[in-house]
Amino acid sequence: MAALVLGARTTGDVTGSTGLGVRQVEESLRRLRSAGLVVTDGSVLRVREELFKEATRVEQANRAPEDPFVRDGRLVKLPAQRGRRRAVLEQVSTTFEPGRRYPEREVAEVLKRWCEGGEVDHVAVRRYLVDEGLLSRADGEYWRTGGPAGV
């Protein structure tokens, strides 16, 4: 494959540039053809570059974008835009089990871990979670009331 990409156009070119035996080159070319990666246009071998470009495009499209707000399970900072902030807070809210009540100190411990090393104070995050309806509070207890369903 490398010889073809670097300009070899015939079996003889590939054999000459790689130092491999004719049988080995022909077997390799047969495999590349059967995989659809190489085609023969007349007597000239051609790499189907469009397949590699498409594979690269698909890989880049499938790659999860790096989250500038959450890294390695830690909250780096909160977005200023409300919609984005809500999405980040929903992610944080999944830490809390729906239906379970948490004492304030336990909520503080969980949120301190989220905020460790970041720019955000755990008290501010707790306030945002309550303001956004993701956590509710009464009598020193908190419980999850919003966020992604089933998480």
Side-chain angles (χ1 to χ4, degrees):
M1 178 62 84
L4 293 171
V5 170
L6 294 173
R9 297 291 171 248
T10 66
T11 303
D13 291 345
V14 175
T15 303
S17 65
T18 63
L20 298 172
V22 173
R23 290 177 80 140
Q24 191 174 4
V25 168
E26 287 176 349
E27 176 60 22
S28 295
L29 290 172
R30 185 192 64 71
R31 284 192 214 144
L32 291 169
R33 281 189 197 104
S34 69
L37 300 174
V38 172
V39 293
T40 305
D41 290 336
S43 61
V44 176
L45 296 167
R46 181 178 65 82
V47 174
R48 294 194 54 208
E49 293 179 26
E50 68 275 9
L51 295 177
F52 293 94
K53 290 177 183 175
E54 176 65 14
T56 300
R57 188 193 64 72
V58 168
E59 171 63 25
Q60 289 173 344
N62 289 336
R63 189 176 299 151
E66 186 172 312
D67 189 336
F69 306 109
V70 177
R71 246 182 249 124
D72 299 323
R74 299 283 189 254
L75 187 58
V76 178
K77 60 184 175 181
L78 278 175
Q81 186 181 14
R82 184 173 182 263
R84 287 184 179 166
R85 184 174 55 241
R86 168 77 185 203
V88 170
L89 291 169
E90 284 179 358
Q91 188 175 348
V92 172
S93 76
T94 62
T95 307
F96 300 99
E97 184 182 325
R100 179 172 168 219
R101 293 192 176 246
Y102 295 85
E104 186 169 339
R105 66 176 162 60
E106 191 173 348
V107 171
E109 289 170 13
V110 168
L111 295 178
K112 281 180 186 178
R113 285 193 300 271
W114 268 98
C115 296
E116 197 173 277
E119 301 174 10
V120 186
D121 175 49
H122 75 281
V123 175
V125 173
R126 185 180 65 209
R127 185 183 70 243
Y128 278 123
L129 288 167
V130 171
D131 290 348
E132 289 291 336
L134 298 168
L135 287 183
S136 292
R137 68 174 172 215
D139 302 323
E141 288 186 320
Y142 292 78
W143 60 96
R144 183 171 152 195
T145 51
V151 182

